Amino acid sequence: MQKILVARPIFPDVIERLKQHFEVDWNNGEVLSAEELTRRLADKDGALTAGDPVGAAVLAAAPRLRVVSNMAVGYNNFDMAAFNASNVLGTNTPDVLNESTADFGWALMMAAARRVTESEHWLRAGKWQKWAYDGFLGTDVYGSTLGVIGMGRIGQALARRARGFNMQVIYHNRSRVAPEIEAELNAQYVSKTELLKRADHVVLVLPYTKDNHHTIGAAELAQMKPTATLTNIARGGIVDDAALAEALRAKRIAAAGLDVYEGEPNLNPALLTVPNVVLTPHIASATESTRRAMANLAADNLIAALGEGPNAGRPANPINPDVIGKARA
Ligand code: 8YV
């Protein structure tokens, strides 16, 4: 039987499924250190990860490893140049999380715009004495302009929600999406600068790459409206968190909603000191059914990649399909 490592605690029934195909080494405990991950991968044919960094050193120390299946759509934890150089296949879990993640992005944007958590903290602190005409005034969402940066599958799911809120949708992306999608979403392609200047609510849904590092920093925040909100459900590092904390403190923008952070789970401490930000612990895809679908898809990808039969080596979600069929280097 081939051997796999499951690097994280996941649903036990998915582990049982994997046991029907592989000898499974399951880390059902704390996050593995780089050394521990390297050690446990040394004799494995495959691995299931969830955000664990896998680079050249890990791959070099695991000569049998042929596939690493990430239980996430984002795979910036994989050094794809190293995967390609060693002919190791990476897989991810797109699509199954689109709607849950878009729902959550919407919730964060709404919560930031209408100061939901900020006012709750105030209430819990026993500060509610009387109604005030100017208590927790926020920014309207209905009828406003939504600016989506990153118009992939999740960005499109968000834009679809905007129709019910009678919003104007503008977007920026590496390239324009197909005209029929623009028409369906009633979305207008604009430059990043125009988007930042016009949007009432900016939502980030782009993948993390070196080129996207600090897509939003002090200069970009300065271009936004003082009444605008910024929501990040993409990846830490796309926003300069220190610059954002300062912009929120100085009220250069009204509020932010953040699910992802530079250096998470350790947040920039300045973010914890500003009231006008909604902070959640990277849970945009966290519904029971979506996390189950992600875990099962990650398992399916691993089984297909290492399996036998006509579809052997052909998982549904290869990140670097060019290595399929090539001998491990
Ligand atoms: C994952 C995510 O839960 O899919 C992604 O890219 O950010 C989340 O849905 C997280 O990355 C852990 O793998």
Side-chain angles (χ1 to χ4, degrees), residues 68-75 78 90-94 153 297-298 301 316-319:
V68 187
S69 168
N70 209 33
M71 184 181 146
V73 63
Y75 51 84
F78 289 173
T91 65
N92 67 340
T93 59
R153 293 164 284 221
L297 185 52
N301 282 328
N317 311 108
I319 298 165

Side-chain angles (χ1 to χ4, degrees), residues 50-51 71-74 97 235 282 285 291 294:
M71 184 181 146
V73 63
L97 45 51
R235 272 292 178 275
H282 201 150
S285 67
R291 283 281 167 85
M294 290 167 70

